[in-house]
Every structure is written in C-alpha cells, then in structure tokens.
Amino acid sequence: RIAKNAMSLRERFDVEAQIPELYYNFYGRIAWRFEPFQAGIEHLRRGFEAGLSSGHADMGLYCLLHTIKFVLFSSPSLKSTLKEIDYYLHLLKTYKSVVTRNYLLIFRETVSLLIDSGEATSIQEKAVFGDLNDPVNKPREAFFHHSAIRCYWSGHTERCRYFSEKSMNLTGQGGQPTAYIVKFLFGKLQL
C-alpha cells in the first residue's frame, strides 16, 4: 500500500529522471505480488526506454530483465517472447552489458527449449554460469531456477525435483518471482 502511494506521488512531482528506478523497484520487485505480471510489463518496458534515453542505462537494463521474466511467465506466445529476446540481444550490441546479455541468454535458452527443445530455435551463443558451487555466483541461481522450469515442462520430473531442491536451498532468492514459480512446480511434483 505504501509503495502504491509512493507511485501515485510521481504523478504530482516531476520525477522523470527517476522513472527507471521507480518502475524497477515497484513493478519489478513489489507489484508482482499483488498484480498480474501483465500489469507490470508495460511499465517495465517504459522504465527500460526511459533509462536508455535519460542516461540511466543500468536501471533501464534491470527493467529489461524483469520485463523478459514477466513476459516468459505470462505471455501466451513463446515465439513472440523469443523474438522479443532476440531484439533485445541485438540492442545489447550497442549497450554492451555483459551481465544483462548473459541473463537474456539464459531466458532465451529456456524459451528455445520450451518451443522445440532448441532444435530449430537455438543459437550458438550460450549463457555462462561460472562455478555452480560458488555461493556468491549470482548466475547459479538463474541456472537452478531455469533448469527446474525446463525439466518440468520437458517431463523430466526427477531432474525438476533435483533442480528445485537446489534452487530452494539458495539464500537471497526469496523475493524473486522465479523462485516462487520453482516452489510452485516443486509442490506440484509432490502431489
């Protein structure tokens, strides 16, 4: 409720320079808990565009990652999601964010696998995950989350259970929608 009130204040005051950060923090971190993913997608896209145009590319790119995450979990068309990811990967040739590119590649690999097991939609460039045993390695969270999602939809229930358990044992992942999706899938496997 406080966050919603804070967002309404942005309309009263001139905070255009803070739009990327406001949208990232509200729509990317808070609003998904009480609003559908679709409600935040357009705002996060606007945050991405505002970030790039105002010189706050880092916040704009955070908005981009949350946009893709929400699109993956709510879009009725995986093919359009894949096209959107490819568009952003092309755009990142200009902005050269290695971290954002790596996370987009993780999402792309998941979408490609869900469409056709990566047979026709796969690309040569792959995400880099680093040491999966290193507790400070942030991409490992994404690796376990996406591996659980991929295995679930591919029908590999034991592998999904394994990656879900690995994912749930991670610290610091409690506030991400991806973690809740994995917990949901794990719960379904227990039925």
Side-chain angles (χ1 to χ4, degrees), residues 99-113:
V99 174
T100 304
R101 183 171 197 78
N102 197 48
Y103 279 101
L104 279 178
L105 287 169
I106 294 169
F107 280 102
R108 193 193 188 291
E109 289 174 26
T110 298
V111 173
S112 175
L113 182 106

Side-chain angles (χ1 to χ4, degrees), residues 27-176:
Y27 293 104
R29 295 180 143 186
I30 297 169
W32 64 267
R33 290 176 168 88
F34 52 86
E35 292 183 10
F37 287 135
Q38 297 90 337
I41 289 172
E42 285 310 310
H43 292 319
L44 287 165
R45 281 186 181 132
R46 284 184 40 219
F48 167 66
E49 292 165 2
L52 295 186
S53 64
S54 68
H56 298 294
D58 54 342
M59 269 302 135
L61 294 173
Y62 283 133
C63 288
L64 166 66
L65 290 175
H66 281 283
T67 300
I68 293 301
K69 184 182 304 182
F70 292 176
V71 166
L72 173 64
F73 295 140
S74 65
S75 174
S77 170
L78 288 172
K79 288 186 179 185
S80 67
T81 303
L82 190 67
K83 283 182 183 178
E84 187 170 356
I85 293 171
D86 285 342
Y87 167 74
Y88 290 129
L89 283 170
H90 178 74
L91 197 63
L92 281 173
K93 290 177 182 175
T94 303
Y95 291 96
K96 298 187 185 348
S97 172
V98 174
V99 174
T100 304
R101 183 171 197 78
N102 197 48
Y103 279 101
L104 279 178
L105 287 169
I106 294 169
F107 280 102
R108 193 193 188 291
E109 289 174 26
T110 298
V111 173
S112 175
L113 182 106
L114 295 175
I115 290 173
D116 64 2
S117 299
E119 298 205 8
T121 57
S122 183
I123 60 173
Q124 209 163 16
E125 187 177 12
K126 302 291 180 205
V128 177
F129 295 103
D131 181 6
L132 296 177
N133 294 316
D134 181 4
V136 295
N137 178 10
K138 286 299 272 178
R140 83 181 183 136
E141 290 180 21
F143 173 79
F144 291 134
H145 291 157
H146 283 265
S147 294
I149 292 166
R150 293 171 190 166
C151 289
Y152 178 83
W153 290 109
S154 298
H156 303 291
T157 56
E158 287 306 312
R159 295 301 297 160
C160 178
R161 186 174 285 118
Y162 169 80
F163 286 118
S164 296
E165 288 173 352
K166 290 290 243 180
S167 172
M168 290 186 294
N169 289 332
L170 297 176
T171 57
Q173 49 88 27
Q176 291 294 324

